[in-house]
Amino acid sequence: MKTIIRVSLLIAAFCLSGNIMAQQVSFGQIQNQISRGKDGVNQFDVKKDSVEFKGISIDLGGSFALQFQALNSFNDQANLPVTITNYRLNNLANNLNLPTANMIFGAQLADGVRVNLDLYLAARHHNETWVKGGYLQIDKLDFIKKDFLAGFMKYATIKAGQMENNYGDAHFRRTDNGNAIMNPFIESNIMDSFTTEPGIEVYYNRSGFVSMFGVTNSKLNQNVGEIIPSAATPAKPDPNTVVSPTFLAKLGYDKQIDKDLRVRITGSLYHCANTSGNLYSSDRAGSRYYYVMSHQTYTNGTKTVYNNMTLNSDGTSTDALAANPTTGRFNPGFGNWSTNIMVNPFVKYKGLEFFGTLEFASGGDTKGVDAKRTVNQYTGDVLYRFGANENMYIGARYGVVSGKLANADAKAVTVNRLESSLGWFMTKNILAKLAYVSQNYKDYAQFTGTTPNDLYGGSFKGLMFEATISF
């Protein structure tokens, strides 16, 4: 991936040098772009503006975030069998997390046509520079013929590439590695739906009505290898033999009723009949709650179970920042197929706003088994923004996820989280947040086989501070 980045930058520099000889190149004259600072908060999907095209223009941006974490983990594991010794959860120090950073390159290539490339410079999961994705955005078709389909393109936008796929509205208010300025809280939803699959999305937004239809190849990591299905077994009788496209759709209504009241509600669909990935484990950045509910090295009979914060399962050292990167999140782990529906209401009246997520996720019970399993998520947050130009806010968010980890389980498990937050936009591009979080795990089994389950009667709680810059 590093080699790809270097080659891409060399090619871009070569092409740019030729264009500079041919025409004047400006910076920041970008059309239909959502601000990466405070002005981009609560801007969903895509937008149209009246920025004039003045030739090729270059866009360069970045995002940085740093947290101070003071969280403690607990569970109800006690009086374990004598064959299990030294088991305990890791004590977590009150200290700084890994600083994270994103970089954005872009260019206005023609009137109504721009390109965007997103990079992770440092992330919990991938510490090296990593390409998140890149896409072409088309808002006019004048490159075909002047005013070609102008009446349609006045309201339409086409995006094509490997990009953050537009399932639901929650991903517009989530933290994306160094880009945390759109999220009024520290972490994203418990069941965090996010993926970057290559494909195309077509938007048509008119008179308050919102619509989008998209299709992807359903792969997070690209390859052209033959799909060789695993052998069928009595326990897994239906292994996938193909990888199917993913279909995305969104319909909704978004209207500024008057100067004080805005109302938006959308419904979204993500469906893949034969999946190769997982909508809830495709984030290459990792969660903000570092190493909560992780255990120290302990002995289980004759087996050593290694610290899952810092070591591989065989005891070899690994990069502690990349190990176990999704602590605090819930992954339903669907196999074979997945159908996911998300409904997002948003209401803003003066400084008071509400945003909700109702998500109904279903899929194959496990890999190789088509039987349906369902997990639901309900999340709502209330914020009050105040001060000069609403540069401060106070708010709270409560979320709950419930569902079975496997159809054979006797009970569904439940994870709930309460997070309160204070925020201050020091400028439009600098945000400081202070948050308190309390998360609880209910109805998890005490053991997975003979191994103690870290989440049995589990909880974590504490304070977090985050400073983030985005431009």
Side-chain angles (χ1 to χ4, degrees), residues 263-293:
V263 176
R264 176 183 172 95
I265 185 166
T266 61
S268 301
L269 170 71
Y270 176 103
H271 171 73
C272 186
N274 299 276
T275 181
S276 67
N278 189 323
L279 178 63
Y280 303 101
S281 64
S282 294
D283 177 22
R284 284 155 290 170
S287 83
R288 280 296 195 251
Y289 303 138
Y290 280 55
Y291 311 128
V292 294
M293 310 309 299

Side-chain angles (χ1 to χ4, degrees), residues 151-182:
F152 174 75
M153 294 306 295
K154 181 179 179 180
Y155 306 102
T157 296
I158 303 168
K159 293 175 70 174
Q162 180 149 358
M163 55 198 170
E164 182 175 327
N165 303 131
N166 189 6
Y167 163 64
D169 286 350
H171 71 106
F172 292 108
R173 289 166 66 96
R174 77 185 290 277
T175 292
D176 184 25
N177 198 47
N179 182 10
I181 210 163
M182 304 304 172

Side-chain angles (χ1 to χ4, degrees), residues 374-388:
T374 299
V375 176
N376 297 327
Q377 174 169 238
Y378 306 97
T379 301
D381 67 64
V382 177
L383 291 178
Y384 182 68
R385 301 183 186 270
F386 60 96

Side-chain angles (χ1 to χ4, degrees), residues 167 191-193 278-282 330-332 334 340 359 361:
Y167 163 64
M191 195 164 68
D192 183 38
S193 51
N278 189 323
L279 178 63
Y280 303 101
S281 64
S282 294
F330 178 94
N331 177 8
F334 295 132
N340 310 278
E359 188 167 18

Side-chain angles (χ1 to χ4, degrees), residues 16-17 53 57 163 173 175 194 247 251 266 306 331 350 353 370 376 388 399 418 439 468-469:
L16 181 58
S17 66
F53 177 66
S57 187
M163 55 198 170
R173 289 166 66 96
T175 292
F194 171 89
F247 294 98
L251 291 173
T266 61
Y306 293 96
N331 177 8
K350 295 185 177 179
E353 68 183 50
D370 281 328
N376 297 327
L418 175 65
Q439 181 159 315
T468 182
I469 300 169

